[in-house]
Amino acid sequence: MDAKVVNDVEHDAATWMARRKARRHRPWPIFALALLTFFVLGTHIHLTHTSTRRSVRVPSDAAEIHARCKNLKLKPSPPPKFNKRRSSDRFVPGTKATLVKNATIWTGRIDGLEIIKGDLLLDKGIIKAIGHVGEETLQSLDSEAVTVNANGAWISPGIVDLHSHIGDDPSPELSGAEDDNSLHGVTQPWLRALDGLNTHDDSYHLSISGGVTTSLVLPGSANGIGGQGFVIKLRDTAERSPTSKLLEPPFTLNRSEVIDWSMPPRWRQMKHACGENPRRVYGNTRMDNIWAFREVYDKARQIKEKQDAYCSKVLSDEWAGLGAFPEELQWEALVDVLRGRVKVQVHCYEAVDLDDLVRLTNEFKFPIAAFHHAHETYLVPELLKKAYGHTPASAMFATNARYKREAYRGSEFAPRILADNGIQVVMKSDHPVLNSRFLLYEAQQAHYYGLPDNIALASVTTTPAQVMGMEHRIGLINEGYDADLVIWDSHPLALGATPKQVFIDGIAQLADPYTTEKPDSFQSVPKTPNFDKEAANAVKYEGLPPLAPEKSLVGTVAFTNVRSMTILTAESEGIVNAFEAQNDEFATIVVERGRVTCAGVQSTCSSFMSASDAEVVDLKGGAISPGLVSFGSPLGLEEIEGESSTSDGFVYDPLAKAVPNIVGGDTALIRAADGLQYATRDAYLGYRAGVTTGITAPKHRGFLSGLSTAFGLGAAHKLEKGALVQEVAAVHVTVGHMGKTPSISTQIAALRHLLLDDGGESSAFKDVAEGKMTLVVEAQSADVISTLLRLKKEVEEEVGGPMKMTIVGAAEAHLLAKDLATADVGVVVVPSRPFPYTWEHRRILPGPPLTSDSAISLLLAHNVTVGIGIEESWSVRNTRFDAAWAALEAAGDITKIQALALASSNLEKLLGLEVDADLADLVATEAGDMFDFESKVVGVISPRRSVVDLF
């Protein structure tokens, strides 16, 4: 209404009022007007008040908003009545109860020190009773229980893997199912490992057969924040979906569902990574990566502060102008990290990165559950204790180290050092980096190097359950806990411990398990050597203690209290027992200038010990054994796999591109001896574990490798006496899938050409064709191996004489055991315990408890000459345990002599070594022989080098 109109209205009103007053002169109109004015004003005030009340009207879902805001203050925990549950949420209807009788039960309770002799009752997916199970309890069951007599066997909680990529990085590896890493950003907290979980991974059943019942599946480590992880049970489900494998997924997983905000939240999991991986993938520096962390955490902090301000008003019933709850789907998981509702699992190796992450936790006030890999955590325990909230656990490998720079200072003594500093220790697989089927082996090794037995066994059961926030239901044998447990054929920390049965949610997982009877000595906690000095040196020298022999003696050395002696003799005899103590009458072995000069009772050899400078070494019931041989890795050709400057490098592949003429053209064969590096840390660690000779072929990425060499692991350089055992050993090639080109048939054609048509220009291949040299072929599939056997026969018919061929890798060689024996082709099984890495490996023979035979035992039973090898240099130190394990799996079909041959004389024969038995190395072990977990290598007797090396 404009001003003129207003004035006109006011003027007309005044005139009308004056006329009314002059005409009537009556008082009641004034009174009536007053009443009308009061009514109008009152009505206006009422309407205004009503309008104001409508703008602050309490929303219809106020109760839910209020509950959600209260929920933000709750920490994750099980429901209040969880411990009183009578049935598991994962119980499968129709599953019968199981009564396990006469068991030796390691419960995990009382710091892992409790052992109960008695029974276990599993019903409705949970543990109902431990110890004595009364008749009244059994009568209360819905149906008669299945009874299993454990006959005194050890039972532990199911193995829990805190770091796995099972399902997301599946086996066999196929490009259509690799979903563990996204390469679309350094920090992506919104990604979820569940969304790529492949239920057809061959690893589920294999890992269960090793006792693994629960795994935390994490995204990979390409990114600073790779996304959210999920805890799964490994057993099959009727639904066959990834979601049906989940254990306590967060309530927010499916946001379309109604959430009961009165319930405490469930733990979530998130993967972070620092150091080399995101640095390499994105071309960033560490500074860039830490800034990326700080940037996204600051974004999450801002959202959290908005939520807190919003909820402060909600909880005070101040609804005016609030609007919707402030949240962003991309960042909601990271906001939960700041609320302490997420178990942050951080891939982090060395001090610089650990320090960065500890500072980040204090800047943004969030806790870290565990540092994973954590190779330098043992060097900086006090730094870990400065992390916000609580000290993170360290989730580690036992001996896997030095594969990249940030892992170079890793130590086998790290678990015991961390435990001594009050830091939780977890052994993990990083499956498929390590096959999680053998996760328990990581705990066994940690125990061997000094981790107390209760902590070692807890490191794969109780502790990872705690670190992932599931300690209320898994990781212990406790009434009311999930019925996840393993019946073992020996003490779980004994080498080669194998499940007799595995239960997940009370369901037996092994349909027809194959088990072997282990010796009585394997039924108790293994005694382990004293490594106090070595552990102290690991810290003293910041992870790089001296590894060369402490003494190299050319004079007289006497080894006393020797229980047994095993030696290599002429080829026809091979390895034989030279001495075995009877009635504890131990022997003395005297060595001069690296050669045994006397072996017998002490009185017999006393005259040889008269020299004033004689060194006496008490073996305390130990043994003298042949030195072991390692093959399969680039040992001696590289120091750090991930650092090219520490490596000899890769040879040219003539099927990929032309080889320069200056090298010799496409048929040139490179000699590994020319690129040897001595005194590498892996070589010295292998030497200290009884491996005295390494056989290595040139590093390659294609068809043609070159000429292998044999070298001494204890030598300091190539010119040292005995350092080069044999300059040229065999010719090495690889036949298998190498991408789209070259095809396998192309590779076979090239090999046929080299053997039959080009021998004049390549003397080594001519020697192979004529049976003067060994052809070593890396091949995995039975199809490729079959073709190689046909090619061998073709060459032999053409040349008119036998050809020496050895198959390396040989994942599916067991399918051709009879044919290999007929063709006189030996096999080097690499690795000694198989895994379906690729399509060519898929038909493995897994061994007990899934099959009665292992590939090794089956091949030996068909009279095939078998050796064992390794894939990576760090594992050379474990060769003696690999051989022992092969024998244990064979239930007595592989003798100790045969097991020694697997890692020594058989390898020498298969790989072209010409061995003089008089110059063969011997290894001295204290308190046991080469295969005992109780023993420790203390010296090497080297006739070739004319010394005795002592450690």
Side-chain angles (χ1 to χ4, degrees):
M1 188 179 292
D2 60 28
K4 182 178 182 302
V5 174
V6 171
N7 290 333
D8 289 346
V9 170
E10 290 176 347
H11 174 75
D12 291 345
T15 303
W16 181 82
M17 289 294 294
R19 288 174 180 171
R20 293 281 294 175
K21 185 177 180 181
R23 186 186 306 161
R24 304 217 177 155
H25 295 283
R26 293 176 182 175
W28 66 265
I30 298 174
F31 179 72
L33 180 63
L35 286 175
L36 177 64
T37 302
F38 179 79
F39 173 77
V40 170
L41 287 175
T43 301
H44 172 73
I45 292 170
H46 173 73
L47 290 174
T48 301
H49 178 66
T50 301
S51 175
T52 302
R53 277 197 337 191
R54 284 175 181 168
S55 68
V56 296
R57 184 178 60 189
V58 177
S60 59
D61 59 347
E64 181 181 355
I65 297 173
H66 194 277
R68 183 175 186 181
C69 285
K70 287 185 67 177
N71 183 271
L72 293 183
K73 298 182 179 180
L74 298 179
K75 296 300 181 184
S77 66
K81 296 182 179 179
F82 184 85
N83 292 331
K84 296 182 179 179
R85 62 181 181 155
R86 302 305 301 164
S87 177
S88 170
D89 53 319
R90 293 182 53 81
F91 171 60
V92 176
T95 303
K96 288 188 175 183
T98 300
L99 175 64
V100 183
K101 304 189 68 174
N102 304 318
T104 305
I105 307 165
W106 184 87
T107 66
R109 301 183 300 201
I110 315 178
D111 294 327
L113 298 175
E114 182 183 56
I115 297 171
I116 295 175
K117 301 274 191 177
D119 307 334
L120 278 167
L121 179 62
L122 317 178
D123 185 36
K124 291 185 170 53
I126 63 176
I127 299 170
K128 286 291 181 70
I130 308 170
H132 175 70
V133 180
E135 190 62 30
E136 183 178 346
T137 302
L138 294 175
Q139 291 296 329
S140 67
L141 299 174
D142 294 341
S143 61
E144 185 177 354
V146 175
T147 300
V148 176
N149 192 337
N151 292 313
W154 285 90
I155 293 183
S156 77
I159 302 298
V160 179
D161 192 353
L162 187 67
H163 187 139
S164 179
H165 304 290
I166 195 168
D168 279 357
D169 188 1
S171 306
E173 181 182 335
L174 294 168
S175 60
E178 292 184 55
D179 290 303
D180 57 328
N181 279 304
S182 167
L183 303 181
H184 295 292
V186 179
T187 50
Q188 302 182 80
W190 50 85
L191 299 181
R192 305 183 301 185
L194 174 65
D195 297 329
L197 193 68
N198 179 359
T199 58
H200 302 298
D201 191 333
D202 286 355
S203 296
Y204 292 119
H205 293 165
L206 290 170
S207 295
I208 288 171
S209 76
V212 181
T213 57
T214 304
S215 293
L216 170 56
V217 181
L218 295 167
S221 54
N223 305 315
I225 301 180
Q228 301 162 48
F230 289 82
V231 180
I232 66 169
K233 293 284 189 81
L234 268 57
R235 71 169 175 85
D236 293 336
T237 65
E239 187 177 294
R240 300 189 180 94
S241 69
T243 301
S244 65
K245 287 182 175 290
L246 295 179
L247 182 64
E248 293 195 3
F251 293 123
T252 54
L253 177 63
N254 297 309
R255 297 179 68 85
S256 60
E257 296 179 358
V258 176
I259 297 174
D260 183 355
W261 295 111
S262 68
M263 298 287 288
R266 290 169 168 173
W267 281 111
R268 306 175 74 177
Q269 314 285 333
M270 187 175 289
K271 176 71 175 294
H272 287 14
C274 57
E276 293 186 30
N277 281 23
R279 184 179 184 275
R280 181 183 66 254
V281 171
Y282 291 97
N284 293 339
T285 66
R286 282 176 165 81
M287 295 182 290
D288 294 316
N289 290 333
I290 293 301
W291 168 247
F293 274 121
R294 296 182 68 211
E295 186 175 37
V296 297
Y297 266 107
D298 190 57
K299 172 70 173 178
R301 178 189 57 78
Q302 293 174 32
I303 296 173
K304 176 181 177 294
E305 289 176 352
K306 290 177 182 178
Q307 291 176 353
D308 290 344
Y310 178 96
C311 285
S312 177
K313 292 183 178 181
V314 166
L315 297 177
S316 300
D317 289 329
E318 298 176 15
W319 298 97
L322 272 184
F325 183 78
E327 62 180 334
E328 295 182 40
L329 185 59
Q330 270 189 305
W331 304 107
E332 58 86 21
L334 204 60
V335 173
D336 259 2
V337 171
L338 297 183
R339 295 195 182 281
R341 304 161 82 130
V342 179
K343 295 288 189 177
V344 179
Q345 315 288 348
V346 185
H347 161 118
C348 205
Y349 284 77
E350 58 180 328
V352 57
D353 300 310
L354 296 167
D355 187 62
D356 287 341
L357 266 293
V358 166
R359 283 187 283 105
L360 187 74
T361 70
N362 286 296
E363 179 179 2
F364 291 97
K365 302 188 184 329
F366 69 90
I368 287 175
F371 284 117
H372 291 239
H373 305 309
H375 281 62
E376 289 190 17
T377 51
Y378 75 101
L379 295 174
V380 290
E382 296 308 312
L383 169 63
L384 269 60
K385 295 175 183 178
K386 293 180 180 179
Y388 180 82
H390 61 79
T391 303
S394 285
M396 320 187 77
F397 299 129
T399 54
N400 187 353
R402 295 169 298 284
Y403 45 87
K404 54 182 174 177
R405 192 197 66 83
E406 61 188 3
Y408 191 58
R409 295 173 187 266
S411 172
E412 63 271 33
F413 306 110
R416 65 169 283 178
I417 294 169
L418 287 162
D420 288 345
N421 281 274
I423 293 174
Q424 286 185 305
V425 174
V426 174
M427 309 311 296
K428 53 94 175 96
S429 75
D430 194 12
H431 182 96
V433 172
L434 295 183
N435 180 359
S436 63
R437 176 185 176 188
F438 304 118
L439 175 54
L440 183 61
Y441 182 42
E442 297 300 293
Q444 293 167 358
Q445 292 175 86
H447 178 237
Y448 176 76
Y449 289 110
L451 188 65
D453 61 282
N454 60 315
I455 300 177
L457 199 44
S459 74
V460 290
T461 53
T462 314
T463 310
Q466 293 172 347
V467 173
M468 65 172 60
M470 296 291 176
E471 70 272 27
H472 57 284
R473 65 184 299 167
I474 62 173
L476 293 173
I477 293 181
N478 208 7
E479 290 185 13
Y481 273 53
D482 287 12
D484 299 349
L485 52 89
V486 185
I487 305 175
W488 300 96
D489 66 358
S490 63
H491 189 281
L493 293 178
L495 180 66
T498 302
K500 290 185 170 184
Q501 188 54 270
V502 179
F503 291 89
I504 302 180
D505 300 322
I507 304 170
Q509 298 297 303
L510 305 178
D512 294 298
Y514 296 89
T515 60
T516 60
E517 291 299 319
K518 297 290 180 63
D520 290 342
S521 60
F522 279 63
Q523 302 306 324
S524 57
V525 178
K527 297 178 182 177
T528 55
N530 186 313
F531 287 107
D532 291 348
K533 179 181 177 182
E534 291 88 342
N537 280 342
V539 176
K540 177 182 177 181
Y541 292 96
E542 296 189 18
L544 301 176
L547 295 176
E550 294 181 6
K551 296 179 181 179
S552 291
L553 305 174
V554 297
T556 302
V557 179
F559 295 94
T560 62
N561 293 314
V562 181
R563 181 180 295 275
S564 67
M565 183 175 182
T566 310
I567 62 172
L568 178 67
T569 62
E571 186 176 343
S572 59
E573 297 182 62
I575 297 174
V576 298
N577 275 328
F579 173 84
E580 189 77 36
Q582 301 295 326
N583 301 320
D584 291 333
E585 187 177 4
F586 295 157
T588 294
I589 309 297
V590 179
V591 181
E592 294 178 349
R593 299 190 63 81
R595 291 178 180 269
V596 176
T597 55
C598 183
V601 296
Q602 184 168 346
S603 59
T604 303
C605 297
S606 59
S607 61
F608 292 86
M609 302 167 57
S610 58
S612 59
D613 62 343
E615 182 93 9
V616 178
V617 180
D618 183 0
L619 292 190
K620 303 173 183 176
I624 304 291
S625 308
L628 302 182
V629 178
S630 179
F631 170 75
S633 75
L635 184 67
L637 292 178
E638 67 183 20
E639 177 77 353
I640 304 173
E641 180 186 355
E643 295 289 339
S644 59
S645 65
T646 73
S647 168
D648 177 52
F650 294 92
V651 300
Y652 292 105
D653 180 19
L655 294 187
K657 61 181 180 180
V659 178
N661 290 331
I662 194 173
V663 178
D666 289 347
T667 60
L669 289 175
I670 305 303
R671 295 188 176 198
D674 296 334
L676 279 177
Q677 302 176 26
Y678 285 81
T680 66
R681 297 195 71 79
D682 284 326
Y684 273 149
L685 287 167
Y687 194 56
R688 285 173 166 260
V691 182
T692 62
T693 302
I695 302 174
T696 189
K699 293 176 62 176
H700 68 292
R701 288 175 170 153
F703 164 70
L704 190 59
S705 172
L707 300 173
S708 58
T709 190
F711 66 101
L713 270 59
H717 55 79
K718 194 181 299 182
L719 298 182
E720 193 174 283
K721 181 181 178 181
L724 201 57
V725 177
Q726 187 170 315
E727 186 165 358
V728 174
V731 178
H732 291 249
V733 300
T734 295
V735 178
H737 289 283
M738 300 175 183
K740 295 181 180 179
T741 58
S743 67
I744 288 176
S745 51
T746 300
Q747 297 166 49
I748 293 294
L751 186 55
R752 178 183 290 110
H753 173 68
L754 288 168
L755 289 169
L756 294 177
D757 302 328
D758 204 37
E761 295 184 30
S762 180
S763 59
F765 277 104
K766 181 179 179 181
D767 287 345
V768 167
E770 294 176 354
K772 299 175 183 178
M773 286 189 73
T774 301
L775 178 66
V776 179
V777 187
E778 181 180 350
Q780 304 294 349
S781 82
D783 300 310
V784 172
I785 297 171
S786 297
T787 303
L788 289 167
L789 295 183
R790 287 171 53 86
L791 178 60
K792 178 179 184 289
K793 184 176 181 181
E794 180 183 344
V795 172
E796 289 173 338
E797 290 175 350
E798 180 77 19
V799 176
M803 171 184 164
K804 293 187 286 189
M805 177 185 285
T806 296
I807 305 297
V808 168
E812 296 183 357
H814 60 93
L815 297 173
L816 303 168
K818 182 178 179 181
D819 303 283
L820 288 163
T822 301
D824 194 23
V825 171
V827 168
V828 180
V829 179
V830 183
S832 59
R833 294 179 295 282
F835 182 73
Y837 294 103
T838 69
W839 192 254
E840 292 182 287
H841 297 78
R842 71 190 185 282
R843 294 181 290 181
I844 62 169
L845 189 65
L850 296 178
T851 60
S852 59
D853 288 310
S854 67
I856 294 171
S857 65
L858 184 65
L859 288 164
L860 287 174
H862 283 80
N863 295 316
V864 177
T865 302
V866 180
I868 59 172
I870 61 172
E871 296 175 290
E872 298 176 89
S873 300
W874 61 265
S875 61
V876 60
R877 68 188 313 163
N878 297 328
T879 300
R880 64 190 184 115
F881 297 141
D882 292 340
W885 200 329
L888 287 167
E889 282 192 325
D893 290 339
I894 298 178
T895 67
K896 186 171 290 187
I897 294 295
Q898 289 175 311
L900 283 169
L902 290 174
S904 60
S905 58
N906 284 8
L907 283 177
E908 292 167 341
K909 176 183 177 182
L910 292 168
L911 299 173
L913 264 65
E914 299 171 359
V915 179
D916 183 346
D918 291 335
L919 296 178
D921 294 330
L922 295 170
V923 175
T925 50
E926 179 185 272
D929 65 29
M930 190 77 85
F931 294 158
D932 290 332
F933 248 177
E934 293 87 346
S935 72
K936 178 182 183 181
V937 174
V938 295
V940 172
I941 303 166
S942 180
R944 183 180 295 108
R945 296 174 55 227
S946 302
V947 298
V948 173
D949 287 330
L950 298 178
F951 308 121

